[in-house]
Amino acid sequence: MVKMSLHRRFISILYVILTCVVCGGLLLLSSENARTQTDNSPRAELSATIPVNPSLVHDNRDIKFGDFAWQTFVALNWPADCQTGLPLQEQIGQAHDKARVWEFYHFPEDVFQSDGEKPELQPIVPPQCLGFNGNQSVDQDLRLTEFASEPTIESEKLKSTDHLHIFSRGQEPLIDRAGNYILNEIRMNPVEVNQIVDSGWYSDKNLQGFNNTDNLFQLACSAKEPNGTFPQTPDHLNVPCKVNTWMGAIEIKASWMVLPDSKVLPDGSSAPDKYYTTKRTFNVTTPENKTEKTTVPVALVGFHIMQKTSQQGWIWATFEHNNNAPDNASLPASRDQKHYNLYSSECTENCQVNTPYVKKPYLWRQDFPHAVTTTVTGVEEQTPSQITRLVSIPKFAQSLNEKWQKKLATSVWRNYQLIGVQWLENPYDPYNLAEVGGRGVTPLRLANVTLEPYVQIDEKGNSCITCHTLAKLRDKKTYADFSFLLLPNQDNFNQ
């Protein structure tokens, strides 16, 4: 973990400052950004302010939630000041060497201690800020699969219904076409961290009073103004919002492609010209069965956002780099058409799409590519995955991508795209799975190929909400408000 030797009091001051800046609108915005929309055609307004609710301007709900997703993505990826973690005055396309706002957010491992004791939180220091005011050097909590912090799903132990399906695949690491593991990490915004710490929810004993009838566990929603609806008392017993704060809880999953030291991509281009790049330092297991610390350059290839609002409860949005994988319905005839990080049209062996060929043990060597395993014959490189997108990017997202990418045309962020957004039509009844009169998952399917490559069983894909409905507290019965982070060690989930 990257830490600064600062006191807890400084964190509280920092969060108060952040609250004032975002809520009070103290960020200097251009006249264009401050302009009020007067029609139903969304403008791509670049702003460092994270929106608290979707705009009510749009009649089309897809556009409304998609535009909200893009606004959040831009604000989270705004360059930030190393001393405060607050957005800089530069635009998102400037200050390429600066850390992003979300990179100052805490890891779940910071909050949930193995002994259940209250965490002594220190500010996170991104790699770009090392050495700033004596900041210490780094450890990052990185994973080889999205599900490393989520339950191991064993299909034979699940009761599948017409309303709730979970696929058992997804535990294996993803290998890019260069032969490296795709790494991923999870972050929690200050609102969620503060609520958990202040409520004592880092300890199981302080979660025992919750139930699924008259005392649902709920993380904080955003402020009711502007554009909020919930809570609506007494009709819905304060569901989904029992607590409203200036910003709702946000959870982020980011996925990274490991780069060679030269940062030159297989197609000969420079990664920093196309990707947001930085470094990550973490522990690995070598073929000699030793644990070592390694630091590698990485490029952002996936970004998944869960954000709790007072208008719609949780909203899921997922983004990817546009060079990740082709649509399964329109595969390229040759590599000359486009280079993909996770697919090759020239594949001749182990080419079944969306199938894991990776083998245990998952080891790391110092030479590039790093992903290896050991067999009876010695050390072998891991087999690259062959990934395609089975659920096509919807047309509304393609339209929004065109608008936002045009606005981001002078930066690497022009190469990122919204894959989709998912929400509940009836967030006040979030666990009612009935097809008629139930919670209403919209749309039914959403997946990020860098985080859930192998759960794409068919063109129906998978659902973020369906998966997160399984999140429970330690009693394995009480819903955890769609967050797996409240039970970070779910080894006994299915027992």
Side-chain angles (χ1 to χ4, degrees):
M1 213 76 54
V2 188
K3 310 287 185 186
M4 283 193 299
S5 56
L6 297 176
H7 296 294
R8 165 82 174 178
R9 184 171 61 181
F10 174 77
I11 304 173
S12 300
I13 295 173
L14 173 60
Y15 291 162
V16 170
I17 293 173
L18 180 59
T19 300
C20 295
V21 170
V22 178
C23 289
L26 298 181
L27 296 174
L28 297 178
L29 302 177
S30 66
S31 58
E32 181 182 25
N33 287 343
R35 187 172 53 208
T36 301
Q37 293 181 347
T38 58
D39 57 37
N40 291 330
S41 177
R43 298 183 179 92
E45 307 293 359
L46 302 183
S47 170
T49 302
I50 300 172
V52 298
N53 281 307
S55 170
L56 297 178
V57 170
H58 312 308
D59 296 330
N60 183 303
R61 289 171 67 80
D62 289 332
I63 296 294
K64 166 180 163 179
F65 288 110
D67 200 39
F68 173 76
W70 259 112
Q71 291 170 347
T72 302
F73 176 79
V74 167
L76 288 171
N77 283 291
W78 206 270
D81 181 82
C82 279
Q83 186 172 9
T84 65
L86 298 177
L88 293 169
Q89 293 301 318
E90 289 92 337
Q91 291 292 304
I92 183 176
Q94 301 171 334
H96 303 291
D97 59 340
K98 299 296 184 180
R100 306 292 128 172
V101 167
W102 68 270
E103 291 184 280
F104 291 84
Y105 291 179
H106 280 96
F107 297 91
E109 291 81 359
D110 296 335
V111 179
F112 300 102
Q113 309 295 304
S114 59
D115 57 7
E117 293 298 314
K118 185 176 182 178
E120 293 294 331
L121 295 173
Q122 299 292 333
I124 296 295
V125 183
Q128 297 94 321
C129 300
L130 294 179
F132 184 88
N133 282 354
N135 294 350
Q136 300 173 358
S137 66
V138 70
D139 268 349
Q140 302 284 338
D141 287 302
L142 297 184
R143 300 165 167 82
L144 296 185
T145 74
E146 178 196 19
F147 301 90
S149 65
E150 300 178 1
T152 301
I153 306 301
E154 299 181 31
S155 56
E156 66 273 13
K157 294 184 179 180
L158 287 177
K159 295 181 179 179
S160 179
T161 71
D162 291 337
H163 316 303
L164 183 63
H165 298 277
I166 286 292
F167 305 120
S168 61
R169 305 167 76 182
Q171 304 299 319
E172 300 89 351
L174 174 61
I175 309 297
D176 66 20
R177 295 308 302 180
N180 290 295
Y181 300 111
I182 294 292
L183 307 174
N184 66 80
E185 63 184 89
I186 299 177
R187 303 293 184 104
M188 311 161 66
N189 77 333
V191 169
E192 183 172 2
V193 171
N194 283 349
Q195 184 184 19
I196 290 171
V197 173
D198 293 344
S199 303
W201 294 342
Y202 50 80
S203 173
D204 294 340
K205 65 183 180 181
N206 297 323
L207 294 168
Q208 295 175 5
F210 293 103
N211 58 62
N212 293 334
T213 54
D214 59 0
N215 192 22
L216 282 176
F217 174 83
Q218 293 184 58
L219 292 166
C221 290
S222 60
K224 196 168 181 178
E225 298 296 336
N227 306 330
T229 301
F230 298 101
Q232 291 182 347
T233 55
D235 296 344
H236 304 302
L237 298 175
N238 295 329
V239 180
C241 300
K242 184 184 298 183
V243 176
N244 295 84
T245 60
W246 63 275
M247 174 64 62
I250 296 177
E251 296 179 5
I252 296 168
K253 296 177 183 177
S255 51
W256 303 96
M257 178 176 65
V258 178
L259 300 172
D261 290 337
S262 66
K263 298 184 182 179
V264 175
L265 298 170
D267 64 1
S269 61
S270 173
D273 292 339
K274 295 182 177 180
Y275 297 79
Y276 170 61
T277 59
T278 181
K279 292 183 179 180
R280 287 293 182 262
T281 298
F282 50 98
N283 290 326
V284 298
T285 303
T286 70
E288 295 76 29
N289 201 31
K290 296 180 179 179
T291 299
E292 296 180 354
K293 184 178 293 186
T294 188
T295 300
V296 292
V298 293
L300 185 67
V301 291
F303 201 77
H304 193 68
I305 308 166
M306 281 177 62
Q307 183 172 1
K308 197 169 186 187
T309 71
S310 61
Q311 182 186 125
Q312 206 71 29
W314 285 107
I315 297 175
W316 282 257
T318 199
F319 290 79
E320 294 180 26
H321 196 276
N322 59 20
N323 280 355
N324 282 344
D327 193 302
N328 196 64
S330 56
L331 298 178
S334 70
R335 188 168 178 172
D336 293 338
Q337 291 181 268
K338 187 173 183 178
H339 171 80
Y340 289 100
N341 300 320
L342 304 175
Y343 178 87
S344 173
S345 58
E346 299 175 356
C347 180
T348 59
E349 185 177 1
N350 299 319
C351 302
Q352 183 67 37
V353 298
N354 305 326
T355 299
Y357 293 105
V358 64
K359 298 178 181 178
K360 294 182 179 179
Y362 309 134
L363 304 176
W364 185 284
R365 69 179 181 187
Q366 291 305 309
D367 293 336
F368 189 94
H370 302 287
V372 295
T373 189
T374 53
T375 67
V376 293
T377 60
V379 178
E380 295 183 1
E381 295 183 1
Q382 294 281 13
T383 302
S385 307
Q386 183 79 334
I387 304 300
T388 63
R389 190 182 312 284
L390 293 183
V391 181
S392 299
I393 300 174
K395 290 185 177 180
F396 85 86
Q398 295 179 35
S399 175
L400 283 174
N401 289 339
E402 183 178 350
K403 293 177 182 292
W404 283 90
Q405 289 166 354
K406 185 176 181 180
K407 193 73 173 181
L408 296 163
T410 60
S411 76
V412 297
W413 302 103
R414 70 187 181 279
N415 298 313
Y416 292 86
Q417 58 185 347
L418 173 66
I419 303 302
V421 189
Q422 195 171 51
W423 65 91
L424 293 178
E425 293 288 352
N426 302 318
Y428 50 82
D429 201 4
Y431 307 114
N432 184 346
L433 308 182
E435 290 186 2
V436 179
R439 59 185 182 174
V441 177
T442 305
L444 290 176
R445 309 295 173 187
L446 180 65
N448 186 306
V449 300
T450 69
L451 291 166
E452 303 119 352
Y454 307 130
V455 297
Q456 298 185 99
I457 300 301
D458 54 32
E459 284 73 10
K460 293 181 179 180
N462 194 26
S463 167
C464 299
I465 294 177
T466 299
C467 179
H468 280 262
T469 301
L470 289 175
K472 306 288 179 62
L473 300 182
R474 182 67 67 178
D475 63 7
K476 305 170 190 175
K477 298 178 181 179
T478 305
Y479 291 114
D481 198 10
F482 298 95
S483 176
F484 286 111
L485 304 187
L486 272 295
L487 187 52
N489 299 311
Q490 304 209 25
D491 297 336
N492 299 318
F493 181 85
N494 291 307
Q495 295 181 4

